[in-house]
Amino acid sequence: MTDPIALKIAGAPITWGVCEVPGWGAQLPVERVLREMRQLGLTATEFGPEGFLPVDPADRAAVLRENGLAAVGGFVPVVLHDPQRDPLPALQSELEAFTAAGAGVVVLSADSGLTGYDERVELDELGWTTLLTNLVRLRDAAAAVGVLAVLHPHVGTLVESEDDVERVLAGCDVGLCLDSGHLLIGGTDPVALAQAHPERIRHVHLKDVDAATAQRVRRGELTYYQAVQEGLYRPLGQGDVDVRSLLRSLLAAGYDGWFVLEQDTVLQLLPEDGEGPVADASASADHLRQLAAELA
């Protein structure tokens, strides 16, 4: 189907426990995270949360270059639904760092305005209209400087459930970040989404998920944070996401973007060198490469 060497595989700092949520867990230093990504043969990374990489655009680009990694882009939570808040100025300042580092994708989430991902608010019609309008505005602003903006359906945001995803698909033409984990947790089959709307999938975050733990999140028995601590995410091939079928569907549809290996992790303590998240990341990278070779 495709030459496996052509797959563009990138890392994400959250796989190493680096997260923007206050109190998330122990945070590994940037030098170690980037070094371990390169040791796994990854060629690029998303930026991670504010403060992980240098804020100055030139310095950020230099750190990535010195570590032999290209810049994919990054995750940017934005409040899209509030008529009293304009999200465009904040995004435009973020885009300076994207263009300076040569990053091509800004991954937007419809932030609730609350802290963390354990609560969300329900939108009225005005909220939905505002969200969709702002989403298109931000997509166009990013495109004006050569950056692709996609929306990431995400647990604890305003686009989480299958109904939310369908409303976005019907209400605008903005592309999606297909996150196999967050979609499944929110009730959307990621394989079915890729098959039904291949033209809308513009970026991919690959996760594997323990379905039983995900169901407990949907039922409200666990918060998202608690679920991550209890092993919600698994290395690719060790959970309940049909990663093989998902990859087959994406490649058959001509997807040629990034495959970002991303499994949210909470670290209680800083692991010794060579231990910790790098082992799970290595297993995920190996599994993806094996699948790509089998599907070629």
Side-chain angles (χ1 to χ4, degrees), residues 4-55:
I5 299 176
L7 287 187
K8 299 191 295 186
I9 305 175
I14 187 62
T15 301
W16 276 259
V18 179
C19 183
E20 74 279 3
V21 177
W24 181 265
Q27 302 290 290
L28 287 168
V30 61
E31 297 81 5
R32 175 172 172 178
V33 173
L34 300 184
R35 182 181 74 248
E36 291 186 349
M37 286 185 184
R38 284 297 302 152
Q39 289 171 350
L40 299 182
L42 305 183
T43 60
T45 182
E46 290 194 351
F47 287 146
E50 182 178 358
F52 175 66
L53 292 173
V55 174

mmCIF file of all heavy atoms in Angstrom, residues 4-55:
data_model
loop_
_atom_site.group_PDB
_atom_site.id
_atom_site.type_symbol
_atom_site.label_atom_id
_atom_site.label_comp_id
_atom_site.label_asym_id
_atom_site.label_seq_id
_atom_site.Cartn_x
_atom_site.Cartn_y
_atom_site.Cartn_z
ATOM 1 N N PRO A 4 6.837 1.901 3.895
ATOM 2 C CA PRO A 4 6.793 2.264 5.314
ATOM 3 C C PRO A 4 7.766 3.371 5.679
ATOM 4 O O PRO A 4 7.555 4.098 6.633
ATOM 5 C CB PRO A 4 7.138 0.945 6.022
ATOM 6 C CG PRO A 4 7.795 0.085 4.988
ATOM 7 C CD PRO A 4 7.159 0.476 3.683
ATOM 8 N N ILE A 5 8.844 3.506 4.910
ATOM 9 C CA ILE A 5 9.812 4.566 5.187
ATOM 10 C C ILE A 5 9.155 5.937 5.003
ATOM 11 O O ILE A 5 9.554 6.922 5.615
ATOM 12 C CB ILE A 5 11.050 4.417 4.284
ATOM 13 C CG1 ILE A 5 11.751 3.088 4.546
ATOM 14 C CG2 ILE A 5 12.015 5.565 4.466
ATOM 15 C CD1 ILE A 5 12.929 2.808 3.644
ATOM 16 N N ALA A 6 8.095 6.007 4.204
ATOM 17 C CA ALA A 6 7.454 7.284 3.923
ATOM 18 C C ALA A 6 6.600 7.787 5.081
ATOM 19 O O ALA A 6 6.204 8.944 5.086
ATOM 20 C CB ALA A 6 6.594 7.171 2.663
ATOM 21 N N LEU A 7 6.298 6.925 6.047
ATOM 22 C CA LEU A 7 5.515 7.393 7.181
ATOM 23 C C LEU A 7 6.282 8.463 7.951
ATOM 24 O O LEU A 7 7.441 8.278 8.300
ATOM 25 C CB LEU A 7 5.199 6.238 8.139
ATOM 26 C CG LEU A 7 4.160 5.210 7.716
ATOM 27 C CD1 LEU A 7 3.887 4.270 8.880
ATOM 28 C CD2 LEU A 7 2.874 5.853 7.252
ATOM 29 N N LYS A 8 5.609 9.548 8.229
ATOM 30 C CA LYS A 8 6.216 10.630 9.005
ATOM 31 C C LYS A 8 5.803 10.442 10.458
ATOM 32 O O LYS A 8 4.661 10.734 10.833
ATOM 33 C CB LYS A 8 5.773 11.985 8.459
ATOM 34 C CG LYS A 8 6.187 12.222 7.017
ATOM 35 C CD LYS A 8 5.965 13.659 6.582
ATOM 36 C CE LYS A 8 4.509 14.033 6.576
ATOM 37 N NZ LYS A 8 4.285 15.396 6.018
ATOM 38 N N ILE A 9 6.724 9.936 11.282
ATOM 39 C CA ILE A 9 6.419 9.598 12.667
ATOM 40 C C ILE A 9 7.068 10.621 13.598
ATOM 41 O O ILE A 9 8.277 10.860 13.518
ATOM 42 C CB ILE A 9 6.910 8.184 13.005
ATOM 43 C CG1 ILE A 9 6.325 7.162 12.022
ATOM 44 C CG2 ILE A 9 6.528 7.820 14.434
ATOM 45 C CD1 ILE A 9 6.867 5.762 12.214
ATOM 46 N N ALA A 10 6.269 11.201 14.467
ATOM 47 C CA ALA A 10 6.753 12.244 15.374
ATOM 48 C C ALA A 10 6.401 11.884 16.818
ATOM 49 O O ALA A 10 5.586 11.010 17.081
ATOM 50 C CB ALA A 10 6.140 13.591 15.006
ATOM 51 N N GLY A 11 7.031 12.589 17.729
ATOM 52 C CA GLY A 11 6.760 12.417 19.150
ATOM 53 C C GLY A 11 5.924 13.558 19.693
ATOM 54 O O GLY A 11 5.662 14.552 19.007
ATOM 55 N N ALA A 12 5.492 13.405 20.941
ATOM 56 C CA ALA A 12 4.754 14.455 21.643
ATOM 57 C C ALA A 12 5.218 14.468 23.094
ATOM 58 O O ALA A 12 5.286 13.418 23.736
ATOM 59 C CB ALA A 12 3.251 14.204 21.576
ATOM 60 N N PRO A 13 5.550 15.620 23.643
ATOM 61 C CA PRO A 13 6.053 15.674 25.020
ATOM 62 C C PRO A 13 5.120 15.066 26.059
ATOM 63 O O PRO A 13 5.594 14.569 27.089
ATOM 64 C CB PRO A 13 6.262 17.176 25.248
ATOM 65 C CG PRO A 13 6.594 17.700 23.879
ATOM 66 C CD PRO A 13 5.699 16.920 22.960
ATOM 67 N N ILE A 14 3.795 15.070 25.827
ATOM 68 C CA ILE A 14 2.879 14.498 26.804
ATOM 69 C C ILE A 14 3.128 13.004 26.998
ATOM 70 O O ILE A 14 2.835 12.446 28.057
ATOM 71 C CB ILE A 14 1.412 14.754 26.384
ATOM 72 C CG1 ILE A 14 0.427 14.320 27.472
ATOM 73 C CG2 ILE A 14 1.093 14.047 25.079
ATOM 74 C CD1 ILE A 14 0.539 15.041 28.773
ATOM 75 N N THR A 15 3.700 12.340 25.993
ATOM 76 C CA THR A 15 4.066 10.931 26.132
ATOM 77 C C THR A 15 5.115 10.763 27.219
ATOM 78 O O THR A 15 5.215 9.697 27.844
ATOM 79 C CB THR A 15 4.587 10.384 24.795
ATOM 80 O OG1 THR A 15 3.559 10.535 23.803
ATOM 81 C CG2 THR A 15 4.974 8.916 24.885
ATOM 82 N N TRP A 16 5.889 11.792 27.447
ATOM 83 C CA TRP A 16 6.903 11.799 28.513
ATOM 84 C C TRP A 16 6.366 12.487 29.776
ATOM 85 O O TRP A 16 7.130 12.831 30.663
ATOM 86 C CB TRP A 16 8.166 12.487 28.014
ATOM 87 C CG TRP A 16 9.073 11.577 27.240
ATOM 88 C CD1 TRP A 16 10.219 10.964 27.707
ATOM 89 C CD2 TRP A 16 8.940 11.158 25.878
ATOM 90 N NE1 TRP A 16 10.783 10.197 26.725
ATOM 91 C CE2 TRP A 16 10.025 10.280 25.588
ATOM 92 C CE3 TRP A 16 8.022 11.397 24.870
ATOM 93 C CZ2 TRP A 16 10.205 9.688 24.350
ATOM 94 C CZ3 TRP A 16 8.190 10.804 23.631
ATOM 95 C CH2 TRP A 16 9.270 9.962 23.371
ATOM 96 N N GLY A 17 5.065 12.697 29.856
ATOM 97 C CA GLY A 17 4.456 13.282 31.048
ATOM 98 C C GLY A 17 4.474 14.790 31.112
ATOM 99 O O GLY A 17 4.109 15.369 32.137
ATOM 100 N N VAL A 18 4.896 15.460 30.041
ATOM 101 C CA VAL A 18 4.999 16.921 30.034
ATOM 102 C C VAL A 18 3.647 17.498 29.623
ATOM 103 O O VAL A 18 3.197 17.313 28.492
ATOM 104 C CB VAL A 18 6.100 17.386 29.070
ATOM 105 C CG1 VAL A 18 6.178 18.909 29.063
ATOM 106 C CG2 VAL A 18 7.441 16.782 29.468
ATOM 107 N N CYS A 19 2.991 18.207 30.534
ATOM 108 C CA CYS A 19 1.611 18.641 30.311
ATOM 109 C C CYS A 19 1.396 20.044 30.860
ATOM 110 O O CYS A 19 2.044 20.466 31.822
ATOM 111 C CB CYS A 19 0.651 17.656 30.978
ATOM 112 S SG CYS A 19 -1.100 18.013 30.717
ATOM 113 N N GLU A 20 0.426 20.749 30.227
ATOM 114 C CA GLU A 20 0.116 22.127 30.628
ATOM 115 C C GLU A 20 -0.771 22.211 31.861
ATOM 116 O O GLU A 20 -0.925 23.299 32.443
ATOM 117 C CB GLU A 20 -0.577 22.866 29.470
ATOM 118 C CG GLU A 20 -2.018 22.480 29.197
ATOM 119 C CD GLU A 20 -2.175 21.220 28.380
ATOM 120 O OE1 GLU A 20 -1.150 20.574 28.054
ATOM 121 O OE2 GLU A 20 -3.328 20.858 28.076
ATOM 122 N N VAL A 21 -1.368 21.095 32.301
ATOM 123 C CA VAL A 21 -2.302 21.126 33.433
ATOM 124 C C VAL A 21 -1.525 21.261 34.741
ATOM 125 O O VAL A 21 -0.637 20.446 35.028
ATOM 126 C CB VAL A 21 -3.166 19.848 33.461
ATOM 127 C CG1 VAL A 21 -4.081 19.846 34.681
ATOM 128 C CG2 VAL A 21 -3.988 19.732 32.177
ATOM 129 N N PRO A 22 -1.830 22.264 35.571
ATOM 130 C CA PRO A 22 -1.113 22.423 36.846
ATOM 131 C C PRO A 22 -1.249 21.173 37.716
ATOM 132 O O PRO A 22 -2.332 20.591 37.835
ATOM 133 C CB PRO A 22 -1.816 23.622 37.491
ATOM 134 C CG PRO A 22 -2.408 24.382 36.348
ATOM 135 C CD PRO A 22 -2.806 23.354 35.347
ATOM 136 N N GLY A 23 -0.118 20.768 38.322
ATOM 137 C CA GLY A 23 -0.148 19.618 39.204
ATOM 138 C C GLY A 23 -0.264 18.286 38.512
ATOM 139 O O GLY A 23 -0.553 17.268 39.156
ATOM 140 N N TRP A 24 -0.028 18.244 37.206
ATOM 141 C CA TRP A 24 -0.203 17.003 36.434
ATOM 142 C C TRP A 24 0.722 15.897 36.920
ATOM 143 O O TRP A 24 0.353 14.741 37.007
ATOM 144 C CB TRP A 24 0.034 17.290 34.955
ATOM 145 C CG TRP A 24 -0.132 16.107 34.055
ATOM 146 C CD1 TRP A 24 0.857 15.266 33.600
ATOM 147 C CD2 TRP A 24 -1.360 15.617 33.484
ATOM 148 N NE1 TRP A 24 0.324 14.301 32.770
ATOM 149 C CE2 TRP A 24 -1.032 14.493 32.695
ATOM 150 C CE3 TRP A 24 -2.685 16.015 33.563
ATOM 151 C CZ2 TRP A 24 -2.002 13.769 31.973
ATOM 152 C CZ3 TRP A 24 -3.638 15.312 32.863
ATOM 153 C CH2 TRP A 24 -3.294 14.198 32.093
ATOM 154 N N GLY A 25 1.969 16.245 37.236
ATOM 155 C CA GLY A 25 2.928 15.239 37.675
ATOM 156 C C GLY A 25 4.337 15.761 37.530
ATOM 157 O O GLY A 25 4.572 16.914 37.166
ATOM 158 N N ALA A 26 5.309 14.894 37.809
ATOM 159 C CA ALA A 26 6.716 15.277 37.648
ATOM 160 C C ALA A 26 7.000 15.566 36.185
ATOM 161 O O ALA A 26 6.519 14.860 35.295
ATOM 162 C CB ALA A 26 7.615 14.151 38.156
ATOM 163 N N GLN A 27 7.789 16.608 35.939
ATOM 164 C CA GLN A 27 8.052 17.060 34.575
ATOM 165 C C GLN A 27 9.519 16.815 34.209
ATOM 166 O O GLN A 27 10.432 17.335 34.863
ATOM 167 C CB GLN A 27 7.725 18.547 34.437
ATOM 168 C CG GLN A 27 6.287 18.896 34.798
ATOM 169 C CD GLN A 27 5.283 18.389 33.788
ATOM 170 O OE1 GLN A 27 5.203 18.883 32.673
ATOM 171 N NE2 GLN A 27 4.502 17.391 34.193
ATOM 172 N N LEU A 28 9.729 16.028 33.171
ATOM 173 C CA LEU A 28 11.086 15.742 32.708
ATOM 174 C C LEU A 28 11.685 16.963 32.013
ATOM 175 O O LEU A 28 10.965 17.744 31.374
ATOM 176 C CB LEU A 28 11.074 14.570 31.731
ATOM 177 C CG LEU A 28 10.834 13.176 32.330
ATOM 178 C CD1 LEU A 28 10.552 12.172 31.228
ATOM 179 C CD2 LEU A 28 12.033 12.736 33.153
ATOM 180 N N PRO A 29 12.992 17.144 32.101
ATOM 181 C CA PRO A 29 13.623 18.283 31.419
ATOM 182 C C PRO A 29 13.603 18.121 29.912
ATOM 183 O O PRO A 29 13.621 17.004 29.380
ATOM 184 C CB PRO A 29 15.062 18.269 31.965
ATOM 185 C CG PRO A 29 15.287 16.864 32.403
ATOM 186 C CD PRO A 29 13.967 16.354 32.876
ATOM 187 N N VAL A 30 13.581 19.254 29.233
ATOM 188 C CA VAL A 30 13.448 19.235 27.777
ATOM 189 C C VAL A 30 14.585 18.469 27.110
ATOM 190 O O VAL A 30 14.377 17.747 26.133
ATOM 191 C CB VAL A 30 13.361 20.687 27.242
ATOM 192 C CG1 VAL A 30 14.607 21.488 27.580
ATOM 193 C CG2 VAL A 30 13.106 20.689 25.748
ATOM 194 N N GLU A 31 15.811 18.607 27.639
ATOM 195 C CA GLU A 31 16.957 17.949 27.001
ATOM 196 C C GLU A 31 16.777 16.436 26.975
ATOM 197 O O GLU A 31 17.094 15.774 25.976
ATOM 198 C CB GLU A 31 18.259 18.302 27.724
ATOM 199 C CG GLU A 31 18.633 19.775 27.682
ATOM 200 C CD GLU A 31 17.885 20.601 28.739
ATOM 201 O OE1 GLU A 31 17.157 20.003 29.563
ATOM 202 O OE2 GLU A 31 18.039 21.841 28.718
ATOM 203 N N ARG A 32 16.277 15.880 28.065
ATOM 204 C CA ARG A 32 16.101 14.433 28.122
ATOM 205 C C ARG A 32 14.986 13.972 27.183
ATOM 206 O O ARG A 32 15.128 12.977 26.476
ATOM 207 C CB ARG A 32 15.793 13.995 29.548
ATOM 208 C CG ARG A 32 15.486 12.503 29.644
ATOM 209 C CD ARG A 32 15.369 12.019 31.054
ATOM 210 N NE ARG A 32 14.903 10.649 31.113
ATOM 211 C CZ ARG A 32 14.745 9.956 32.230
ATOM 212 N NH1 ARG A 32 15.028 10.524 33.389
ATOM 213 N NH2 ARG A 32 14.301 8.711 32.189
ATOM 214 N N VAL A 33 13.885 14.683 27.171
ATOM 215 C CA VAL A 33 12.762 14.280 26.321
ATOM 216 C C VAL A 33 13.178 14.272 24.857
ATOM 217 O O VAL A 33 12.928 13.297 24.125
ATOM 218 C CB VAL A 33 11.561 15.217 26.538
ATOM 219 C CG1 VAL A 33 10.448 14.910 25.531
ATOM 220 C CG2 VAL A 33 11.037 15.099 27.961
ATOM 221 N N LEU A 34 13.826 15.342 24.408
ATOM 222 C CA LEU A 34 14.221 15.415 23.006
ATOM 223 C C LEU A 34 15.283 14.368 22.671
ATOM 224 O O LEU A 34 15.266 13.771 21.578
ATOM 225 C CB LEU A 34 14.726 16.822 22.676
ATOM 226 C CG LEU A 34 13.719 17.963 22.882
ATOM 227 C CD1 LEU A 34 14.316 19.279 22.436
ATOM 228 C CD2 LEU A 34 12.408 17.686 22.165
ATOM 229 N N ARG A 35 16.203 14.129 23.601
ATOM 230 C CA ARG A 35 17.233 13.103 23.368
ATOM 231 C C ARG A 35 16.610 11.727 23.215
ATOM 232 O O ARG A 35 16.976 10.960 22.326
ATOM 233 C CB ARG A 35 18.233 13.105 24.530
ATOM 234 C CG ARG A 35 19.369 12.078 24.333
ATOM 235 C CD ARG A 35 20.329 12.080 25.506
ATOM 236 N NE ARG A 35 19.755 11.448 26.700
ATOM 237 C CZ ARG A 35 19.446 12.079 27.812
ATOM 238 N NH1 ARG A 35 19.641 13.391 27.909
ATOM 239 N NH2 ARG A 35 18.935 11.434 28.850
ATOM 240 N N GLU A 36 15.649 11.404 24.079
ATOM 241 C CA GLU A 36 15.029 10.091 24.004
ATOM 242 C C GLU A 36 14.174 9.942 22.752
ATOM 243 O O GLU A 36 14.086 8.841 22.176
ATOM 244 C CB GLU A 36 14.215 9.829 25.270
ATOM 245 C CG GLU A 36 15.102 9.652 26.494
ATOM 246 C CD GLU A 36 14.362 9.257 27.754
ATOM 247 O OE1 GLU A 36 13.114 9.308 27.762
ATOM 248 O OE2 GLU A 36 15.038 8.901 28.748
ATOM 249 N N MET A 37 13.562 11.016 22.302
ATOM 250 C CA MET A 37 12.846 10.948 21.021
ATOM 251 C C MET A 37 13.799 10.555 19.891
ATOM 252 O O MET A 37 13.493 9.675 19.074
ATOM 253 C CB MET A 37 12.194 12.296 20.705
ATOM 254 C CG MET A 37 10.962 12.618 21.515
ATOM 255 S SD MET A 37 10.220 14.171 20.935
ATOM 256 C CE MET A 37 8.885 14.373 22.114
ATOM 257 N N ARG A 38 14.936 11.201 19.857
ATOM 258 C CA ARG A 38 15.903 10.901 18.788
ATOM 259 C C ARG A 38 16.415 9.469 18.923
ATOM 260 O O ARG A 38 16.640 8.787 17.910
ATOM 261 C CB ARG A 38 17.083 11.883 18.853
ATOM 262 C CG ARG A 38 16.766 13.260 18.322
ATOM 263 C CD ARG A 38 16.399 13.242 16.840
ATOM 264 N NE ARG A 38 17.480 12.677 16.041
ATOM 265 C CZ ARG A 38 17.313 12.044 14.881
ATOM 266 N NH1 ARG A 38 16.104 11.833 14.410
ATOM 267 N NH2 ARG A 38 18.359 11.598 14.201
ATOM 268 N N GLN A 39 16.607 8.989 20.128
ATOM 269 C CA GLN A 39 17.081 7.618 20.326
ATOM 270 C C GLN A 39 16.098 6.593 19.770
ATOM 271 O O GLN A 39 16.502 5.489 19.387
ATOM 272 C CB GLN A 39 17.321 7.355 21.810
ATOM 273 C CG GLN A 39 18.543 8.086 22.371
ATOM 274 C CD GLN A 39 18.643 7.998 23.895
ATOM 275 O OE1 GLN A 39 17.715 7.544 24.568
ATOM 276 N NE2 GLN A 39 19.768 8.435 24.439
ATOM 277 N N LEU A 40 14.816 6.955 19.718
ATOM 278 C CA LEU A 40 13.796 6.065 19.168
ATOM 279 C C LEU A 40 13.686 6.181 17.658
ATOM 280 O O LEU A 40 12.871 5.493 17.046
ATOM 281 C CB LEU A 40 12.432 6.374 19.801
ATOM 282 C CG LEU A 40 12.322 6.197 21.310
ATOM 283 C CD1 LEU A 40 10.906 6.493 21.767
ATOM 284 C CD2 LEU A 40 12.734 4.796 21.722
ATOM 285 N N GLY A 41 14.470 7.052 17.059
ATOM 286 C CA GLY A 41 14.413 7.231 15.621
ATOM 287 C C GLY A 41 13.322 8.171 15.154
ATOM 288 O O GLY A 41 13.014 8.219 13.958
ATOM 289 N N LEU A 42 12.719 8.919 16.097
ATOM 290 C CA LEU A 42 11.722 9.898 15.693
ATOM 291 C C LEU A 42 12.422 11.087 15.054
ATOM 292 O O LEU A 42 13.528 11.462 15.450
ATOM 293 C CB LEU A 42 10.891 10.353 16.899
ATOM 294 C CG LEU A 42 10.203 9.229 17.690
ATOM 295 C CD1 LEU A 42 9.350 9.815 18.806
ATOM 296 C CD2 LEU A 42 9.363 8.338 16.779
ATOM 297 N N THR A 43 11.765 11.686 14.078
ATOM 298 C CA THR A 43 12.402 12.757 13.313
ATOM 299 C C THR A 43 11.846 14.136 13.623
ATOM 300 O O THR A 43 12.386 15.142 13.159
ATOM 301 C CB THR A 43 12.247 12.500 11.811
ATOM 302 O OG1 THR A 43 10.846 12.440 11.485
ATOM 303 C CG2 THR A 43 12.907 11.183 11.408
ATOM 304 N N ALA A 44 10.767 14.179 14.409
ATOM 305 C CA ALA A 44 10.126 15.466 14.672
ATOM 306 C C ALA A 44 9.315 15.377 15.956
ATOM 307 O O ALA A 44 9.071 14.286 16.482
ATOM 308 C CB ALA A 44 9.215 15.858 13.508
ATOM 309 N N THR A 45 8.905 16.539 16.448
ATOM 310 C CA THR A 45 8.096 16.579 17.665
ATOM 311 C C THR A 45 7.096 17.719 17.598
ATOM 312 O O THR A 45 7.316 18.731 16.914
ATOM 313 C CB THR A 45 8.972 16.762 18.918
ATOM 314 O OG1 THR A 45 8.139 16.754 20.089
ATOM 315 C CG2 THR A 45 9.751 18.073 18.870
ATOM 316 N N GLU A 46 5.994 17.548 18.330
ATOM 317 C CA GLU A 46 5.145 18.689 18.611
ATOM 318 C C GLU A 46 5.804 19.497 19.734
ATOM 319 O O GLU A 46 6.683 19.010 20.440
ATOM 320 C CB GLU A 46 3.734 18.229 18.988
ATOM 321 C CG GLU A 46 2.987 17.643 17.796
ATOM 322 C CD GLU A 46 1.495 17.493 18.023
ATOM 323 O OE1 GLU A 46 1.039 17.674 19.169
ATOM 324 O OE2 GLU A 46 0.789 17.183 17.046
ATOM 325 N N PHE A 47 5.363 20.740 19.896
ATOM 326 C CA PHE A 47 6.044 21.662 20.801
ATOM 327 C C PHE A 47 5.869 21.330 22.282
ATOM 328 O O PHE A 47 6.735 21.625 23.091
ATOM 329 C CB PHE A 47 5.538 23.090 20.588
ATOM 330 C CG PHE A 47 6.001 23.731 19.315
ATOM 331 C CD1 PHE A 47 5.171 24.612 18.648
ATOM 332 C CD2 PHE A 47 7.254 23.468 18.793
ATOM 333 C CE1 PHE A 47 5.592 25.236 17.476
ATOM 334 C CE2 PHE A 47 7.678 24.078 17.626
ATOM 335 C CZ PHE A 47 6.842 24.961 16.962
ATOM 336 N N GLY A 48 4.725 20.769 22.644
ATOM 337 C CA GLY A 48 4.440 20.608 24.066
ATOM 338 C C GLY A 48 3.860 21.877 24.643
ATOM 339 O O GLY A 48 3.622 22.866 23.943
ATOM 340 N N PRO A 49 3.613 21.905 25.955
ATOM 341 C CA PRO A 49 2.952 23.052 26.581
ATOM 342 C C PRO A 49 3.851 24.277 26.642
ATOM 343 O O PRO A 49 5.081 24.183 26.507
ATOM 344 C CB PRO A 49 2.631 22.544 27.988
ATOM 345 C CG PRO A 49 3.671 21.516 28.257
ATOM 346 C CD PRO A 49 3.919 20.839 26.933
ATOM 347 N N GLU A 50 3.230 25.421 26.865
ATOM 348 C CA GLU A 50 3.968 26.667 27.000
ATOM 349 C C GLU A 50 5.002 26.542 28.117
ATOM 350 O O GLU A 50 4.694 26.083 29.213
ATOM 351 C CB GLU A 50 3.003 27.813 27.308
ATOM 352 C CG GLU A 50 3.669 29.163 27.422
ATOM 353 C CD GLU A 50 2.678 30.284 27.684
ATOM 354 O OE1 GLU A 50 1.462 30.002 27.740
ATOM 355 O OE2 GLU A 50 3.131 31.437 27.842
ATOM 356 N N GLY A 51 6.238 26.913 27.812
ATOM 357 C CA GLY A 51 7.310 26.850 28.788
ATOM 358 C C GLY A 51 8.188 25.623 28.677
ATOM 359 O O GLY A 51 9.276 25.587 29.252
ATOM 360 N N PHE A 52 7.722 24.606 27.937
ATOM 361 C CA PHE A 52 8.561 23.419 27.762
ATOM 362 C C PHE A 52 9.738 23.749 26.848
ATOM 363 O O PHE A 52 10.902 23.530 27.205
ATOM 364 C CB PHE A 52 7.730 22.272 27.191
ATOM 365 C CG PHE A 52 8.537 21.040 26.875
ATOM 366 C CD1 PHE A 52 9.148 20.320 27.888
ATOM 367 C CD2 PHE A 52 8.688 20.607 25.569
ATOM 368 C CE1 PHE A 52 9.909 19.186 27.607
ATOM 369 C CE2 PHE A 52 9.431 19.470 25.271
ATOM 370 C CZ PHE A 52 10.043 18.764 26.289
ATOM 371 N N LEU A 53 9.452 24.288 25.684
ATOM 372 C CA LEU A 53 10.483 24.813 24.792
ATOM 373 C C LEU A 53 10.607 26.317 25.018
ATOM 374 O O LEU A 53 9.701 26.945 25.571
ATOM 375 C CB LEU A 53 10.115 24.521 23.338
ATOM 376 C CG LEU A 53 10.142 23.055 22.914
ATOM 377 C CD1 LEU A 53 9.601 22.901 21.500
ATOM 378 C CD2 LEU A 53 11.546 22.470 23.014
ATOM 379 N N PRO A 54 11.722 26.920 24.605
ATOM 380 C CA PRO A 54 11.865 28.363 24.788
ATOM 381 C C PRO A 54 10.711 29.142 24.171
ATOM 382 O O PRO A 54 10.166 28.755 23.130
ATOM 383 C CB PRO A 54 13.185 28.671 24.069
ATOM 384 C CG PRO A 54 13.952 27.388 24.123
ATOM 385 C CD PRO A 54 12.930 26.301 24.008
ATOM 386 N N VAL A 55 10.334 30.233 24.803
ATOM 387 C CA VAL A 55 9.236 31.053 24.307
ATOM 388 C C VAL A 55 9.663 31.826 23.062
ATOM 389 O O VAL A 55 8.882 31.945 22.102
ATOM 390 C CB VAL A 55 8.762 32.020 25.409
ATOM 391 C CG1 VAL A 55 7.716 32.994 24.857
ATOM 392 C CG2 VAL A 55 8.193 31.240 26.590
#
